[in-house]
Structure formats: structure tokens, C-alpha cells
Amino acid sequence: AIHIVTLNRPDAQNALTMDMMNEIATLFHGLRDDKKVRAVILTGAGEKAFSAGVDLLKADGIFTSYFPTPLEKDPRVQIETFPWPVICAVNGFAITGGFELALACDILIASENASFADTHSKFGIAPAWGLSQKLARSLGPSRAKELHFSGRFLGAKEAMAWGLVNRVLPPQQLMPHCLDLAKEMSKIPNPTMLRMMKQTVNDGYGMSFKDGCENEQNVAYKYYKEMGAELFEKMKAFIMSRSKGAKSKL
């Protein structure tokens, strides 16, 4: 099954309140126990905004009592560590905290209306959901600093050219494309492999190249050791059926 999560405050540009942040974290934490879910799509209501970030008009409680946040109540952590793929359908601008939520997802697909901006410096807000670290790793420190220091908006096409998003689509094609992509991922014959691949990539992201490769080997060794003869025979049958043009399932 594919679960769609929508930030639903279009009248406030889907700005985040404390209640919304808690709800996002609780939702993703709870979906871990749903045995039918194989992918999640995160998007915003309307075509103008994915999320304008934290609602500064209701931010008093957030800045004075929200940090440090228990992991189970941190939406960024719950999205990042969610075991199945999370696709972000960026339907409009993603600003500061909204930008950070988008980057917590595994794959970013953007509408032509989408844009990205980091206004932490402009408003005197310290980043706490990883933006100062992720952008430098994704775009390189020079491009990241340009966005951090200027607060300028990065349009969808430029974001794709910089490697921030995977694809840019007309607004009406955004959700259908994300749904098709999620369906393709959910059809992976061995769900364990999907979870394992995501975990291996995420773990390696915080390691040196050498340690990441070593971790990959350890994960592979454990996987093959636990595979068992029955699953191995199913894998061979699946490969043979694909080569014959037939359909089979692991």
C-alpha cells in the first residue's frame, strides 16, 4: 500500500505548528507497524506551497520548549528513519523548515511551481533539522553557503540542475508521477531488500567511503547467511522466469 501524507494548512502556506510537527512524527512512527505500507508520499495542500516552514506567528513554544526533541517526536528523524521509501512531492515553495522536511525524504520530485529557500539567517533562526549539514553534502559547500547566506529562492529547474531534485514536472503531473514511482517501488519482489537497501545507503551517508563499503559487505554477508535454501531457489526461479518473459514472484 502507498500512504499519502498531506500538510494541510493551505491558508497559511502549510506553515508548521507544534501540533503539526507532533502529528507528522506520530504518523510516521505509527506507520512503521503497518504491514501493508511499502511507500509514503509527502506533499502539501494546494499548488502554492509545500511548506513555508515553522509558523513564526505561533513559534514561541517551539523555540523555547521544543528543543531538544525526543526522537519519537521529531518529524525529521521519523521521516529519515522510516523503513520504507518516502517520496516528497514538492508542489510549491519549500522554505527553511519546509525545506528541511523535504530533504528528510528519500526522493524529491518537484512541480514547476516549486522553489527552495533557507531563510534561517534572515530571520535569526538556528537550523536544527540538518539543513546546514545536508546542503553542503548534497550541493557542495560553495552552493550551500550561497543559499544559507543569501536566503534567495532556488527555482525548480535550477534545483534539478544542481542535483537537489530528481525531476521537474507540470503541476498536474506531479502526484500521478509520484504515485507511479511509489507503485514501482512497492512491487519489488523481496520487501526485505528494499528496507535493507535504504538502511545501507542512509548508514553509509554518515560514514567515510571505506567504512561505508565495509558496512555494505557486512550487511550483504548477514543477508546471504540468513537467506536460506528456499529463498535462494525462489530467487533463481524468479530470474529464470524473467529471462523467459514469464511472470513470477519471490
Side-chain angles (χ1 to χ4, degrees), residues 116-232:
F116 304 84
D118 176 21
T119 60
H120 280 107
S121 296
K122 279 190 173 183
F123 289 101
I125 302 169
W129 282 349
L131 193 59
S132 67
Q133 303 304 304
K134 286 187 175 182
L135 279 187
R137 287 167 168 77
S138 300
L139 306 178
S142 180
R143 283 177 167 172
K145 289 174 183 176
E146 177 184 338
L147 297 181
H148 293 316
F149 299 166
S150 69
R152 80 171 181 89
F153 280 81
L154 186 73
K157 290 184 179 179
E158 189 175 12
M160 187 170 72
W162 281 18
L164 187 66
V165 303
N166 290 33
R167 198 161 286 104
V168 176
L169 299 165
Q172 66 273 18
Q173 295 180 19
L174 179 63
M175 284 305 294
H177 176 82
C178 290
L179 283 167
D180 286 344
L181 183 59
K183 289 175 183 177
E184 185 177 352
M185 293 175 180
S186 67
K187 291 179 181 178
I188 295 297
N190 184 356
T192 301
M193 178 59 69
L194 196 61
R195 293 169 60 115
M196 187 184 75
M197 186 65 74
K198 175 173 177 173
Q199 186 68 51
T200 304
V201 173
N202 285 354
D203 289 346
Y205 188 77
M207 300 177 183
S208 67
F209 180 77
K210 179 181 179 182
D211 289 344
C213 289
E214 183 177 342
N215 178 66
E216 181 190 68
Q217 287 191 332
N218 291 336
V219 171
Y221 172 74
K222 181 180 178 181
Y223 173 74
Y224 289 124
K225 186 177 181 180
E226 297 175 353
M227 176 182 278
E230 182 180 353
L231 183 57
F232 188 73

